[in-house]
Amino acid sequence: MSETVNPTLPIIRTVAVDKSFGSVEALRSVSLEIEQGKFFTLVGPSGCGKTTLLRVMAGFEQPTRGQVFIDGKSMEGVPANKRPTNMVFQSYAVFPHMNVGENIAYGLRSKKTPADRIATLVAEALEMVGLAGYQNRPSHALSGGQRQRVALARALVLKPKVLLLDEPLSALDKKLREQMQSELRNLQRNVGITFVLVTHDQEEALTMSDQIAVIFGGEIAQVASPEILYRRPNSREVADFVGVMNFLNVSVLSEHGTRRRVEVEGLGIVEIEEDQAPRGLVGDIVAGVRPEQFTILFEDRASADRCCSGTVTEIQYFGDMTYYAAKLEGCDKTVTISMRNTAGRRTLGPGDKADIGWRSESVLILS
Amino acid sequence: MASSFRRSINPEAVSGLALISPTFLYALVLLAAPIAAVILLSFWTQDYLELHRTFTLANYVKAWTEPVYQALMIRSVKISLLVTAFTVLIGFPIAYYIAFIVPPRRKPIWLFLITIPFWTSYLVRIFLWKVILGYNGVINGSLIGIGLIEEPLKFILYNQGAVVLTLCHAWLPFAILPIYVALDKIDRSLLEAAEDLGDSPFRRFIRITLPLAMPGIMAATIIVFIPTIGDYVTPRLVGGPNGLMIANMIEVQFKKANNAPLGAALALSAMFIVTVISLIFLWANRKYLRANQ
Amino acid sequence: MSGLRMSNWLIVYVGLFLLFLYAPAILLPLFAFNDSAVISFPLAGFTWQWFATVVDNESLHRATRNSLIVAVSTAVFATTLGVFAARAGTRFSFPGKRGMMGLVMVPMVLPEIIIGVSMLVVVLQLGLSLSLMTIILGHVLICTPFSTAILGAAFQGLDRSLEEASIDLGRTRLTTFLLITLPLVLPGIIASLLLAFTISLDEFIIAFFLTGTEATLPVYIWGQLRFPQRIPGLMALGTILLVVSLLLLVCAEYFRRRAARNMGRGEQRELF
């Protein structure tokens, strides 16, 4: 266990971390590197182990096997109160018997910071989260959003190397949640501290993060930037979890070096590049196309290089978008197609015939 | 090595055991050990002040066969069962009223109201029942006052009825509170769903409310039934010679008669009977709940 | 319509029930101020004399002092043991937990005479003498389950992440317990102290078995019940005890509500 660790990068490294609770395996061989100064998100369905991983980083759970390094130092045997991390809890954990100022000063007092310095730091922290002058508010008089800000300020005032956030937005209503998403993002850019966020909401993960780790069943499925994760998911599960994906049956026709020809159900023969099949063409494979990669062709056929036809079976109207379910001609498959409702564009109804355009680089081969 | 050892024992179990140990050891030393001693004692004999430590079943034979003890035992169990039945039956509507009819804001006040009388001294409270039921007491006084009777009624004090009444009064809050807790926990939408699915209020009560209140009713039954058998103050003050219970005999054996082994055998026999009856209650309750599913 | 009639009947029933429940408590002050040595109707007139007999009664004072010693010690010890058991019961899982917690809670449903008798046997067999100490030991045993239940509810209601947040912010386990846990379960601790105090103050059955030369208040009262001429004085004593315990309860309720408000939990239910 005498590996040399680069002291600047990455800020958190987990090495083959296992965690079991009795007979339940919550984490299996999780190895992860989180770069300094990034907004990093752990995303996955509930019960996938993402919160356990966060708590292992924070020191609230000890890994059954494996190691956690923070800033190059092994965290084995280091309790939560000695780690350079701070946490924003899902319930915010704002101390109900203390006012806002006392809550934020709580960590500073345990570090024996002088009183006048505490006052300045508390005021700065409150200003940073948009609660300037709230020092003497009793914490039970705060709204959900304000509690969250207090929890943030309380953790950030200690200047941790990493801020851990456990589903911090899940208790807020939709409007406030979207506002807090962008505030959190901006806050992270301003303070430059590494944020590790846990969420079950893939959309939230996509909009906020620099890097995302998708976790299924206690294992890391993929680590990538939001764009790569959306455009080039590396497995069927990831593609299904992040965004919406149409899955179509596929069979391999030929494979010559980087040129691969496959036949996709309802779409016909497609030539694909290497990066469109991240795990190759072996095993149980399926073709995936995102709904927005299909276009219903009204007049202009120029935008698409390929075209097929289908019948609309169902429409869902979202205001800015319309989602169509269309049965492809020549097979039994129904695909979802999303269309932006731009000015002057008409919408179709169930039973209408539609020409559907698509491009061969939109087709992914997943296993 | 050290770290692998630290991981091999579950630190949570260690903390838990360390925390529980003072309280557990206290109960072990002052409850389990003394009861073991009583069990041992019940197999010995005593002449006046001398204790014979040879194993014998003589005390149990006496306790189960001699008519005095048999009669006391049967009467005690009968009184305890009556008290249990009455407290649960009288208490249920009160618990129902507080849980469903009193507005939530006023519930604490009502619970308070029910417990206030029990902040008077236990002995004084029992004595006051003697005053209420007595020859020149409140009931006789008022009945004569309004001309309903000319001579005071003698049959209302110094009998088993008076014991049951006084014990009911003492144990009612202990029956009401657990039933109230069970009723209050019932999700109101369950009741609305039952009504929506066509149940009449009565059927709804039988099919939804009662089964869901059953844990509270069982708790009330056990909480009232078991300790009641051990009361010797109430029978002594309001029971008269025919209202005495087994606990009075246990007390006499331990104190005046200097026959602790017989007292121990009587106490353990009473405990045994009460436990068996409680287990029958619990078994019947399980059957009822299962039949209801 | 039928539902409304139903609840009207229920209100009548509740009224009768309250009359039954309060009958002794209403009579108590009536006879305490009644100018007659005989406890019976009709009432004879108003007097303070029975309270005077309470004020200058040496053995009563002694019994009161003994009872206070026993009740305060019981409250402190039972609450301390209750804190340990409640904390272990709500926060940790360990082998044998059900059995251990079960044994701790058993005195709640055990006839008190069994506890009194069994402790008496041990004390006598060990050749120890009966004293206030033996009463305290017995009272702690019967009060600990109540304390454990109340404190268990208090610990249960405590959001675990509050303690984790404190540790995360750099505090040790001990300071976390003192700064976060203890203040937040304080209402539970006060309720436990109060309940144990009241149970002990009024407990007779166990005390009667375990009393040596020093009597507690209930044991003293029991001795006096045999003398008819002492009864009016006992009524006055009972009235004083009722008023004192009601004042205590109202104070406790006030503090509990204030604490609950500070904690932002809003309206909470009764103490127990």
Side-chain angles (χ1 to χ4, degrees):
Chain A
M1 279 294 146
S2 58
E3 285 170 75
T4 49
V5 180
N6 186 328
T8 53
L9 290 172
I11 188 77
I12 292 191
R13 199 157 65 91
T14 68
V15 182
V17 166
D18 288 356
K19 176 68 190 174
S20 332
F21 297 102
S23 60
V24 183
E25 283 190 316
L27 293 174
R28 269 184 295 188
S29 190
V30 172
S31 294
L32 200 62
E33 295 193 348
I34 299 176
E35 274 179 58
Q36 167 95 55
K38 287 283 158 64
F39 199 121
F40 193 96
T41 299
L42 304 169
V43 68
S46 59
C48 72
K50 55 193 190 299
T51 296
T52 305
L53 181 57
L54 196 76
R55 291 171 60 82
V56 165
M57 292 175 182
F60 293 124
E61 309 287 354
Q62 298 303 316
T64 314
R65 269 176 299 276
Q67 289 254 55
V68 176
F69 295 89
I70 297 178
D71 199 21
K73 293 187 198 67
S74 167
M75 287 293 124
E76 191 175 341
V78 180
N81 51 1
K82 298 275 187 329
R83 294 195 181 193
T85 58
N86 284 114
M87 185 132 156
V88 174
F89 289 82
Q90 185 169 13
S91 62
Y92 312 142
V94 173
F95 303 130
H97 57 309
M98 299 179 186
N99 66 25
V100 170
E102 288 165 342
N103 259 285
I104 293 169
Y106 190 85
L108 295 171
R109 292 222 169 96
S110 55
K111 281 185 170 176
K112 305 259 176 337
T113 315
D116 51 339
R117 180 93 185 106
I118 288 181
T120 328
L121 287 171
V122 167
E124 281 172 14
L126 280 173
E127 190 159 351
M128 178 174 68
V129 295
L131 291 180
Y134 271 60
Q135 278 91 334
N136 294 321
R137 290 282 179 102
S139 45
H140 61 80
L142 299 174
S143 70
Q146 289 170 332
R147 264 163 219 262
Q148 156 128 81
R149 286 160 206 253
V150 171
L152 265 172
R154 185 175 71 180
L156 285 174
V157 78
L158 298 175
K159 308 253 164 18
K161 287 181 176 150
V162 182
L163 184 74
L164 306 169
L165 303 105
D166 184 10
E167 301 254 10
L169 305 176
S170 62
L172 304 177
D173 63 48
K174 191 166 184 287
K175 264 259 158 62
L176 189 57
R177 189 162 65 229
E178 279 165 6
Q179 185 196 337
M180 285 306 294
Q181 281 175 3
S182 76
E183 272 188 40
L184 264 182
R185 184 71 253 233
N186 292 334
L187 189 64
Q188 192 271 332
R189 290 216 180 100
N190 292 339
V191 296
I193 290 172
T194 312
F195 277 29
V196 180
L197 175 93
V198 159
T199 180
H200 63 275
D201 181 348
Q202 45 90 21
E203 226 171 285
E204 189 172 294
L206 290 177
T207 52
M208 295 173 78
S209 325
D210 295 316
Q211 282 276 308
I212 299 171
V214 183
I215 303 178
F216 291 131
E219 286 177 289
I220 303 267
Q222 186 171 7
V223 183
S225 69
E227 200 199 338
I228 300 287
L229 193 68
Y230 188 78
R231 284 190 46 241
R232 293 287 181 259
N234 67 0
S235 71
R236 190 180 170 152
E237 286 94 347
V238 173
D240 201 20
F241 181 73
V242 179
V244 181
M245 183 67 95
N246 292 302
F247 292 108
L248 299 164
N249 291 330
V250 66
S251 50
V252 181
L253 297 178
S254 65
E255 198 174 350
H256 299 292
T258 56
R259 309 282 291 173
R260 297 124 190 266
R261 281 158 63 83
V262 294
E263 179 160 13
V264 180
E265 177 190 24
L267 299 183
I269 294 166
V270 187
E271 282 197 15
I272 56 166
E273 301 292 325
E274 198 175 0
D275 72 327
Q276 284 167 264
R279 291 192 185 168
L281 297 178
V282 287
D284 185 14
I285 55 171
V286 69
V289 184
R290 294 285 185 196
E292 70 278 6
Q293 301 293 339
F294 285 122
T295 321
I296 291 181
L297 302 170
F298 291 99
E299 289 87 26
D300 54 331
R301 292 167 167 268
S303 61
D305 65 345
R306 302 285 300 265
C307 179
C308 60
S309 32
T311 312
V312 174
T313 58
E314 214 184 307
I315 75 163
Q316 267 186 303
Y317 183 71
F318 281 93
D320 58 337
M321 305 285 285
T322 305
Y323 276 73
Y324 295 92
K327 198 166 113 22
L328 294 179
E329 214 155 81
C331 72
D332 228 11
K333 227 19 178 226
T334 301
V335 294
T336 305
I337 302 167
S338 67
M339 294 291 287
R340 184 154 284 285
N341 293 333
T342 46
R345 178 175 283 172
R346 65 198 172 89
T347 54
L348 300 176
D352 290 347
K353 291 272 179 205
D355 290 327
I356 301 163
W358 52 282
R359 304 171 73 88
S360 51
E361 63 258 36
S362 308
V363 177
L364 280 172
I365 306 298
L366 302 161
S367 55
Chain B
M1 270 311 280
S3 79
S4 75
F5 173 72
R6 208 174 54 227
R7 283 172 183 180
S8 71
I9 50 168
N10 183 354
E12 193 185 301
V14 174
S15 319
L17 285 169
L19 265 174
I20 189 82
S21 53
T23 319
F24 175 69
L25 288 177
Y26 190 87
L28 203 63
V29 171
L30 282 128
L31 182 69
I35 286 182
V38 169
I39 294 174
L40 201 59
L41 183 69
S42 70
F43 292 109
W44 293 344
T45 46
Q46 186 170 357
D47 297 328
Y48 300 104
L49 291 175
E50 209 180 330
L51 202 59
H52 298 289
R53 302 185 182 206
T54 38
F55 180 88
T56 170
L57 286 172
N59 296 315
Y60 285 100
V61 172
K62 238 185 203 168
W64 287 79
T65 56
E66 282 195 16
V68 197
Y69 305 127
Q70 273 183 348
L72 271 178
M73 201 70 92
I74 290 169
R75 183 192 296 158
S76 304
V77 170
K78 191 183 82 185
I79 288 177
S80 289
L81 283 173
L82 283 174
V83 170
T84 309
F86 281 129
T87 48
V88 169
L89 286 177
I90 296 170
F92 190 93
I94 304 297
Y96 185 90
Y97 177 79
I98 301 173
F100 288 109
I101 295 177
V102 171
R105 222 165 35 83
R106 307 268 296 272
K107 282 179 186 180
I109 293 291
W110 271 88
L111 293 175
F112 196 50
L113 206 62
I114 280 179
T115 43
I116 284 176
F118 300 89
W119 301 106
T120 45
S121 159
Y122 168 69
L123 294 172
V124 171
R125 218 182 322 138
I126 299 172
F127 182 81
L128 282 163
W129 276 107
K130 195 171 157 178
V131 172
I132 295 172
L133 302 171
Y135 190 79
N136 291 320
V138 178
I139 291 185
N140 278 328
S142 346
L143 288 179
I144 292 172
I146 56 174
L148 267 176
I149 51 171
E150 283 166 14
E151 281 286 295
L153 303 172
K154 285 181 190 159
F155 63 86
I156 52 176
L157 183 64
Y158 297 132
N159 58 30
Q160 296 173 27
V163 176
V164 171
L165 179 88
T166 309
L167 282 173
C168 276
H169 181 262
W171 287 98
L172 262 169
F174 296 89
I176 292 172
L177 289 178
I179 298 175
Y180 160 77
V181 169
L183 286 173
D184 201 47
K185 266 201 297 209
I186 296 177
D187 185 349
R188 297 302 186 269
S189 61
L190 292 176
L191 302 178
E192 285 165 4
E195 208 172 345
D196 183 59
L197 295 170
D199 267 2
S200 67
F202 178 72
R203 273 179 70 81
R204 185 184 75 178
F205 178 81
I206 295 295
R207 298 211 301 173
I208 309 290
T209 316
L210 204 55
L212 289 175
M214 226 38 206
I217 294 175
M218 274 332 281
T221 305
I222 303 291
I223 286 175
V224 174
F225 179 66
I226 299 183
T228 306
I229 204 128
D231 195 338
Y232 59 84
V233 178
T234 308
R236 177 72 83 71
L237 285 180
V238 302
N242 288 323
L244 289 183
M245 290 168 68
I246 192 72
N248 298 95
M249 185 53 81
I250 297 170
E251 188 224 328
V252 166
Q253 296 300 337
F254 269 94
K255 293 220 144 178
K256 287 187 197 114
N258 264 329
N259 194 348
L262 179 60
L266 287 171
L268 290 171
S269 302
M271 264 317 288
F272 174 76
I273 293 171
V274 167
T275 310
V276 167
I277 296 176
S278 301
L279 290 177
I280 293 173
F281 282 154
L282 291 172
W283 173 80
N285 174 50
R286 195 164 296 171
K287 258 200 105 133
Y288 161 78
L289 287 180
R290 202 156 292 155
N292 225 277
Q293 284 169 358
Chain C
M1 271 313 270
S2 82
L4 196 72
R5 262 208 319 273
M6 214 14 219
S7 67
N8 279 344
W9 278 113
L10 198 54
I11 288 168
V12 171
Y13 176 83
V14 171
L16 288 174
F17 166 80
L18 287 178
L19 187 68
F20 170 64
L21 201 63
Y22 275 82
I26 293 167
L27 291 180
L28 187 60
L30 286 185
F31 289 118
F33 291 108
N34 185 29
D35 192 6
S36 160
V38 186
I39 303 294
S40 73
F41 282 102
L43 297 175
F46 185 86
T47 178
W48 281 101
Q49 62 164 312
W50 309 123
F51 286 88
T53 64
V54 171
V55 172
D56 46 44
N57 180 337
E58 195 52 43
S59 51
L60 173 60
H61 292 172
R62 202 166 172 77
T64 308
R65 197 208 57 171
N66 290 340
S67 264
L68 286 177
I69 292 173
V70 171
V72 168
S73 320
T74 300
V76 171
F77 287 129
T79 301
T80 310
L81 291 177
V83 166
F84 282 115
R87 180 82 179 167
T90 50
R91 271 289 188 278
F92 298 94
S93 59
F94 47 91
K97 178 173 167 179
R98 274 179 72 99
M100 289 185 183
M101 291 301 286
L103 181 68
V104 170
M105 300 307 277
V106 154
M108 219 170 188
V109 290
L110 211 55
E112 291 180 350
I113 191 168
I114 301 282
I115 295 170
V117 159
S118 55
M119 287 187 64
L120 179 70
V121 166
V122 168
V123 169
L124 293 182
Q125 290 301 307
L126 292 179
L128 306 172
S129 60
L130 294 168
S131 64
L132 291 183
M133 192 59 211
T134 49
I135 303 178
I136 293 171
L137 289 176
H139 282 183
V140 169
L141 196 63
I142 57 161
C143 290
T144 302
F146 290 97
S147 295
T148 305
I150 290 178
L151 291 162
F155 279 118
Q156 201 86 65
L158 185 68
D159 180 1
R160 190 173 188 165
S161 55
L162 289 171
E163 292 170 320
E164 286 183 345
S166 166
I167 289 180
D168 186 63
L169 294 167
R171 303 282 181 163
T172 61
R173 283 187 179 282
L174 180 69
T175 47
T176 295
F177 187 76
L178 296 177
L179 289 172
I180 304 295
T181 316
L182 219 47
L184 291 177
V185 298
L186 195 62
I189 290 178
I190 291 174
S192 160
L193 285 172
L194 197 89
L195 188 68
F197 178 85
T198 333
I199 291 175
S200 168
L201 196 66
D202 195 33
E203 203 289 327
F204 170 70
I205 292 179
I206 292 176
F208 188 51
F209 274 94
L210 298 177
T211 297
T213 49
E214 294 286 339
T216 61
L217 210 46
V219 175
Y220 168 81
I221 293 174
W222 176 254
Q224 301 298 299
L225 283 175
R226 272 177 292 161
F227 308 111
Q229 71 273 23
R230 300 277 171 80
I231 303 297
L234 290 182
M235 295 293 133
L237 177 61
T239 308
I240 294 171
L241 287 176
L242 176 62
V243 170
V244 168
S245 47
L246 282 184
L247 281 178
L248 266 176
L249 269 182
V250 170
C251 284
E253 182 64 13
Y254 169 76
F255 281 113
R256 195 188 61 80
R257 283 197 183 186
R258 223 177 63 166
R261 211 167 44 235
N262 285 346
M263 285 167 71
R265 292 207 197 138
E267 276 296 295
Q268 272 183 325
R269 293 285 157 80
E270 185 62 355
L271 296 170
F272 35 83

